[in-house]
Amino acid sequence: MKMSQNDQEAALSRCPGCQEPLEPGDLFCGACGYDLSSVPEPPQDHPTIAMGTPVAAPAEPGPVAAPAASGDFELAAPAAGAAAAAGGAAPDPRAVAEPAPTPPAGTKVCVACRAGRVDLDGYCENCGHAQPRERDHMEQELGSVAAVTDRGLRHHRNEDSFAISTTALPDGTPAVVAIVCDGVSSASRPDEASAAATTAANESLLESLPRGTHPQQAMHEAIVAAAESVNRLAQEPGRAAERDPHRQQNAPACTLVGAIMANGLLIVGWVGDSRVYWVPEDRSSPPARLTEDDSWAAQMVAAGLMSEAEAYADERAHAITGWLGADSYELEPHTASFKPDRPGTAVICTDGLWNYAESPAEMAAALPEDAHERPLHGAQVLVGHALDGGGHDNVTVALLPFAVPAQGAGSARSDG
C-alpha cells in the first residue's frame, strides 16, 4: 500500500468484499482492494427468529414447481391471482420460460453461469463473476534472460507485470533488458499501471540503446517514460470509477525495477520497493542487494531513527514512499551502474518474492546453483519458493545471467 495518513486499523479477520483473510493493520484488502476504513458498523441488535418460523409470508404465494426430471428445467408460473386479476386464465404451469439469449458468436462467455457476456474489465455482465485472467501465470525465456510471474495464493488477480528483451548497441555488442513492475493494490487499476509501465520502459530502452545512449542514462529515461504512461491512465475519461464503491479512488500506480546487461556493465534502475539482487556463480563469494527501497522502513534506517531489524518489524515497514503514478509526490528515478568482476546472476523481483527471501544470503540460498545456465528453471524455482512460503502477494522474478571471466575481487559502481 502507499504511505497513508490514516493509521486506523480495521478490526476484521476477513475482507467484507471477498472474504479473504486480513492481517492486522491492513487498510485495504490485498486481494480485492476493499477500503477497510469504509466498512459500515454492524447492527447493534439482531431479531431472534425461532427455528422453522418464516420471516415473512408472501402476499400472493405462487405454485411450487415440481422437481425437474431427466435434466429438463421448468420455472414456476406466475401466481394464479395475478392472471385472474387481469381477467384471463392462469397460464399452463408446464410452459417453459424462454432461455436467456445466447451471446453473439465470438463473445467471451462467463465460466461460471455460461450465459453472461464478459465485459472489458473481466467480469460477467450477468452474474458478476470475475473471470480467469491470462496474467495469472506467465513465463518467458529469451536467450539468456527469463521471467516468471504468478498471481499467488491470496490475490484475485495478478497486478505484476514484466518485460524482457534483447537488442544491440551501435557497435553490434548485445544488450539484454529485464523490467519488472508491481501494481499498487490500494490504487485504482494497478494491473493496468504495471502493464503500461513495463511496456513503456521496455520500448524506451529498445529505442535508446541502439542509438548509443549510455545504458545508465537510457535506464533513467525509461523510468520517466514509464511514469508518463502510468500518469496518462489517470487522465482517461470514464475510467476513474471502480466497480466496488468501497475501493480507494486514487490514481493508478505501480513500482518499477529493471536491469540492463551491456558492454560488461550491469545497470539497475528503480522506483519503489521492488529489488535487484546479485548472486555470484561461485557461491563462496558473497551475494548483494543492488537497490534501496523507497519505503518507510528504509527511511527510518537512513535517518538513524531505527535499526534495520526494528524498522522492518514495524507494521508500517512496507509502506512505499516512491511510486509511478499521477499522485506520486515527486518522481525520483534511481539508477546505479556496476562492473561485476565474476560471473553471476541478477535477480530482479517484486516483494512477493523477497518477502520470503529478504536478505542476500536467503535469496542466494533459494536460487538454484545452475540458474546461470537455466534461468527459466531458476525463476520457476524462486516463484515456487514464494508460493511454498505462503504466496501472500503476486510474485514476479526475472533472472539475468551475467557472464564475465573470473578476475580479482572488487567491483566498480556509479550511482545516479
Side-chain angles (χ1 to χ4, degrees):
M1 69 176 177
K2 298 178 189 174
M3 181 80 74
S4 172
Q5 301 300 318
N6 181 7
D7 291 329
Q8 177 184 4
E9 282 190 14
L12 298 169
S13 60
R14 289 185 177 275
C15 172
C18 65
Q19 294 301 307
E20 286 291 331
L22 299 173
E23 293 187 351
D26 280 353
L27 299 178
F28 303 94
C29 174
C32 70
Y34 196 104
D35 183 355
L36 300 175
S37 66
S38 301
V39 177
E41 291 291 332
Q44 296 302 311
D45 64 89
H46 304 273
T48 301
I49 302 175
M51 292 179 62
T53 303
V55 177
E60 291 286 348
V64 178
S70 304
D72 294 329
F73 294 91
E74 295 189 357
L75 302 178
D92 188 343
R94 293 169 297 177
V96 179
E98 288 190 22
T102 304
T107 302
K108 189 173 181 181
V109 178
C110 175
V111 299
C113 69
R114 308 302 301 174
R117 185 179 68 175
V118 178
D119 64 19
L120 295 177
D121 292 327
Y123 291 86
C124 175
E125 294 180 346
N126 179 48
C127 68
H129 190 89
Q131 306 299 297
R133 293 169 170 84
E134 180 185 2
R135 285 172 61 176
D136 281 359
H137 184 92
M138 299 178 68
E139 302 182 357
Q140 186 180 2
E141 187 171 32
L142 187 63
S144 63
V145 62
V148 177
T149 184
D150 190 272
R151 179 172 59 91
L153 304 180
R154 288 188 52 180
H155 279 235
H156 76 293
R157 65 181 174 186
N158 191 354
E159 296 167 357
D160 288 357
S161 184
F162 71 79
I164 57 175
S165 58
T166 60
T167 187
L169 303 181
D171 62 1
T173 57
V176 185
V177 171
I179 302 292
V180 167
C181 292
D182 182 357
V184 177
S185 294
S186 59
S188 302
R189 298 149 56 203
D191 52 336
E192 295 181 38
S194 63
T198 52
T199 299
N202 186 58
E203 290 178 351
S204 175
L205 289 169
L206 292 181
E207 179 184 347
S208 61
L209 290 171
R211 69 169 184 254
T213 305
H214 188 280
Q216 190 166 354
Q217 178 62 29
M219 177 62 80
H220 180 96
E221 293 174 0
I223 295 174
V224 172
E228 291 173 349
S229 72
V230 178
N231 291 350
R232 285 193 292 270
L233 294 178
Q235 300 166 5
E236 294 179 3
R239 296 300 308 278
E242 290 284 347
R243 178 179 302 272
D244 188 339
H246 291 290
R247 189 175 178 86
Q248 182 77 356
Q249 297 300 307
N250 51 10
C254 68
T255 67
L256 181 148
V257 67
I260 304 170
M261 181 179 68
N263 263 345
L265 297 176
L266 176 63
I267 290 85
V268 300
W270 73 98
V271 173
D273 63 348
S274 292
R275 295 178 175 180
V276 178
Y277 291 82
W278 170 255
V279 180
E281 183 178 336
D282 178 4
R283 296 303 176 89
S284 65
S285 300
R289 174 153 64 96
L290 306 183
T291 57
E292 296 292 336
D293 298 345
D294 288 322
S295 70
W296 180 90
Q299 281 194 342
M300 294 298 103
V301 174
L305 299 177
M306 286 184 172
S307 69
E308 188 168 349
E310 292 171 335
Y312 280 96
D314 193 284
E315 63 182 11
R316 296 165 290 183
H318 294 284
I320 59 174
T321 57
W323 60 88
L324 307 183
D327 62 351
S328 62
Y329 304 124
E330 183 178 357
L331 178 63
E332 295 184 12
H334 311 290
T335 63
S337 178
F338 300 86
K339 189 175 179 63
D341 59 7
R342 63 201 66 199
T345 301
V347 180
I348 303 102
C349 65
T350 62
D351 62 345
L353 170 60
W354 66 252
N355 277 330
Y356 301 100
E358 187 166 348
S359 71
E362 290 172 325
M363 187 62 73
L367 183 70
E369 293 192 2
D370 63 350
H372 60 286
E373 299 173 351
R374 304 170 63 198
L376 178 59
H377 174 259
Q380 292 167 336
V381 169
L382 289 179
V383 169
H385 176 79
L387 297 180
D388 290 343
H392 176 83
D393 200 353
N394 306 145
V395 188
T396 303
V397 57
L399 296 187
L400 180 56
F402 197 103
V404 296
Q407 299 174 4
S411 62
R413 164 178 173 154
S414 65
D415 295 313

